[in-house]
């Protein structure tokens, strides 16, 4: 208890450092719901709720022979209509944003060949997957563009040219996963350009529940973007040609766009039946947090019934009036539009935004319908991981560091970034390097990991799913229940989680999923041994 208290005070003191930093000084970080700075569009965006909600296409396997489903997907540039009457260049899987949705099955391996037809090196990571290290999308395991012959100093990992096949065993329970770019130093700009999509795993347990399906099971990828005069995505990269990482000074805290996209469309609307829906909400934003509410709320009962989280179904449904999601977190929600009369327009709003960023999308209740779904009292058998079975306790501290030495670049793992500013985001005082490790974890081990923080950091652990034990001596926050792979750390907080690691040996990363922080070095290796 006293330790937690001291950590909390240390954390609060840490905020002083952040407030002193250039572009961050205007912000009252103590009460801000976000760590990030708003980047505005310089052209008009459409009226909210005028465009239809897009649903990403389902990826079709190229072969389902034997024990494995094979898929091929191509990363390419495409000009897509996001703002009506004009086009925006995206970098997308199969040229779409979001990319195609993979609808896979627990226990049935999927091998996904990713072709890179972009002009930059990429890496694809299956977020939430229990994946062997060689297929996990380690940040230097690059797929170089097919037509690039000279690779230079960046070729330091297990690099391939043109394409790579990722092998996913999918030996894990049903859950809403996602895949996205993970190239070292450039994940932020690459994901911002569109390199992300859903990866769903289904199983018999989930199928046996009386839950909404098909057209009433909607994946919703939330993201925020800013647009320039030519309707192109604005992103404040220091080096758009990707020679060195980082964003310009005021955005070091994170890039917040002023336009909320759902499945790639600005503030869309969807017609819904008077029936229960399953909404698989993924925060795919670089830095923005959301606190979701329905307006109007249903006449009685809670707006949302949460049934799942990052790692799949909860043990029991939880009624919520609001749902908070940090970058990379997922919430599997039931909403009963049967509670509203036909003709009701139900807005999904974001209480952490204001004006345009308080709006997300709208559901229009357009027709009566039969509905044989229900909310089961019990969803899944989720055993509590016993922290007493942990074989080690480790502490990771996530902080902004100011580097005042003129002769040393801000982010030291890359030789070409002398212009990258004076700040870096570090874990235990160390900027990311592919060559060092913070922990050696025995395969299949259970450990207690303690995360302490200065500002908001959504912390993600590859390979290890975890359960939250405590936050600074005050127990759990809403949304901490069940199996998680990302935790939304609140300023000044020390959180404790109990992690169960996978059996695959090799080098994995943990990192902040604020993608500007991640690119500016807030990532570390741990090794499964
Ligand atoms: Cu969603 Cu390491 O990433
Ligand atoms: Cu991940
Ligand atoms: Cu962070």
């Amino acid at each position: 208890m006293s330790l937690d208290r001291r950590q909390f005070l240390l954390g609060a003191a840490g905020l002083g450092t952040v407030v002193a930093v250039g572009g961050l000084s205007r912000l009252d970080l103590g009460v801000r719901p976000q760590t990030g700075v708003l980047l505005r569009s310089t052209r008009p965006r459409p009226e909210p709720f005028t465009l239809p909600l897009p649903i990403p296409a389902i990826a079709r396997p190229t072969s389902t022979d034997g024990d494995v489903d094979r898929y091929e997907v191509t990363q390419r540039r495409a000009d897509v209509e996001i703002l009506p009457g004009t086009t925006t260049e995206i970098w997308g899987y199969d040229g779409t944003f979001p990319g195609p949705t993979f609808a896979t099955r627990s226990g049935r391996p999927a091998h996904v060949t990713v072709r890179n037809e972009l002009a930059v090196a990429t890496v694809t990571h299956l977020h939430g997957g229990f994946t062997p290290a060689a297929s996990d999308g380690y940040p230097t395991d690059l797929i170089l563009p097919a037509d690039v012959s000279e690779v230079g100093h960046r070729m330091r990992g297990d690099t391939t040219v043109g394409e790579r096949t990722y092998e996913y065993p999918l030996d894990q329970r049903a859950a809403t996963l996602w895949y996205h770019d993970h190239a070292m130093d450039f994940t932020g700009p690459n994901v911002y350009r569109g390199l992300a999509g859903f990866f769903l795993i289904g199983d018999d347990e989930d199928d046996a529940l009386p839950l909404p399906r098909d057209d009433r099971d909607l994946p919703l990828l939330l993201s925020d973007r800013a647009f320039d005069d030519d309707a192109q995505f604005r992103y404040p990269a220091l080096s758009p040609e990707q020679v060195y990482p980082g964003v310009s000074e005021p955005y070091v805290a994170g890039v917040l766009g002023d336009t909320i996209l759902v499945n790639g469309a600005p503030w869309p609307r969807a017609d819904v039946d008077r029936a229960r829906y399953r909404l698989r909400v993924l925060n795919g934003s670089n830095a923005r947090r959301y606190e979701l509410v329905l307006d109007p709320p249903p006449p009685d009962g809670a707006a949302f019934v949460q049934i799942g989280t990052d790692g799949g179904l909860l043990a029991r449904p939880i009624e919520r009036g609001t749902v908070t999601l940090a970058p990379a977190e997922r919430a599997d929600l039931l909403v009963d539009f049967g509670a509203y009369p036909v003709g009701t327009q139900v807005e999904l709003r974001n209480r952490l935004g204001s004006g345009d960023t308080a709006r997300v999308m709208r559901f229009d209740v357009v027709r009566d319908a039969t509905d044989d779904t229900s909310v089961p009292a019990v969803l899944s058998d989720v055993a509590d991981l016993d922290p007493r079975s942990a074989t080690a306790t480790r502490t990771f501290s996530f902080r902004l560091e100011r580097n005042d030495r003129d002769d040393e670049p801000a982010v030291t793992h890359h030789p070409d970034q002398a212009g990258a500013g004076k700040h870096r985001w570090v874990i235990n005082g160390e900027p990311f390097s592919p060559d060092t490790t913070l922990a050696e974890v025995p395969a299949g081990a259970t450990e207690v990991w303690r995360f302490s923080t200065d500002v908001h950091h959504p912390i993600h652990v590859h390979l290890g799913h975890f359960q939250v034990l405590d936050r600074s001596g005050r127990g759990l926050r809403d949304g901490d229940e069940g199996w998680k792979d990302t935790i939304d750390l609140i300023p000044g907080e020390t959180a404790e989680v109990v992690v169960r690691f996978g059996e695959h040996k090799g080098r994995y990363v943990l990192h902040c999923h604020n993608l500007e922080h991640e690119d500016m070095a807030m990532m570390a290796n741990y090794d499964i041994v």
Side-chain angles (χ1 to χ4, degrees), residues 456-458 512 514 517 522:
H456 290 279
H457 297 293
C512 181
N514 175 317
H517 298 190
M522 191 169 261

Side-chain angles (χ1 to χ4, degrees), residues 455-467:
V455 294
H456 290 279
H457 297 293
I459 301 308
H460 170 50
V461 181
H462 285 216
L463 194 73
H465 286 198
F466 53 79
Q467 294 177 356

Side-chain angles (χ1 to χ4, degrees), residues 125-129 136 180 182 460-463 485 511 513:
H125 168 60
L126 175 59
H127 181 124
D136 194 51
H180 60 79
H182 215 301
H460 170 50
V461 181
H462 285 216
L463 194 73
D485 60 42
H511 61 89
H513 222 290

Side-chain angles (χ1 to χ4, degrees), residues 221-356:
L221 186 154
L222 311 187
S223 62
D224 57 335
R225 299 289 186 267
F227 294 86
D228 70 12
D229 297 342
D230 300 320
Q232 303 308 304
F233 288 141
R234 286 190 81 189
Y235 188 80
L238 284 170
S239 167
E241 62 288 354
Q242 299 201 346
V243 178
Y244 50 84
V247 291
S248 59
E249 178 76 6
Y251 304 101
V252 166
V255 176
L256 306 175
D258 63 354
T259 309
I260 307 299
L261 308 184
V262 184
N263 295 344
W267 307 290
R269 52 169 289 283
D271 286 345
V272 292
D273 298 338
R274 283 194 68 231
R276 188 174 283 112
Y277 280 68
R278 180 175 186 169
L279 308 180
R280 301 172 188 254
V281 189
L282 155 64
N283 183 353
S285 309
N286 281 31
R288 181 177 291 282
R289 300 171 69 239
Y290 300 80
E291 183 180 350
L292 301 172
V293 293
L294 290 183
D295 180 22
D300 25 60
F304 306 109
V305 177
Q306 186 170 1
I307 57 169
T309 180
D310 305 341
L313 290 170
L314 296 166
R316 291 165 183 282
I318 301 174
E319 295 193 348
R320 300 198 189 284
T322 73
V323 171
T324 301
L325 287 178
E329 287 190 299
R330 285 87 74 205
D332 208 330
L333 305 173
L334 300 180
V335 171
D336 188 5
F337 293 109
Y340 297 95
V342 167
T344 314
Q345 298 179 328
V346 185
E347 252 192 73
L348 181 66
R349 293 185 62 84
N350 167 28
R351 286 225 302 222
L352 302 184
S354 61
D356 287 346

Side-chain angles (χ1 to χ4, degrees), residues 471-517:
R471 303 231 193 195
S472 295
R474 292 184 289 263
L476 270 56
R477 290 182 186 273
D478 284 354
D480 284 344
E481 302 84 358
W483 284 108
K484 297 283 294 167
D485 60 42
T486 305
I487 180 172
D488 179 19
L489 287 187
I490 305 299
E493 195 169 67
T494 296
E496 222 172 64
V497 304
V498 55
V499 199
R500 185 152 69 201
F501 289 92
E503 301 280 350
H504 305 292
K505 294 186 178 167
R507 180 152 286 184
Y508 289 89
V509 291
L510 71 143
H511 61 89
C512 181
H513 222 290
N514 175 317
L515 299 183
E516 283 70 48
H517 298 190

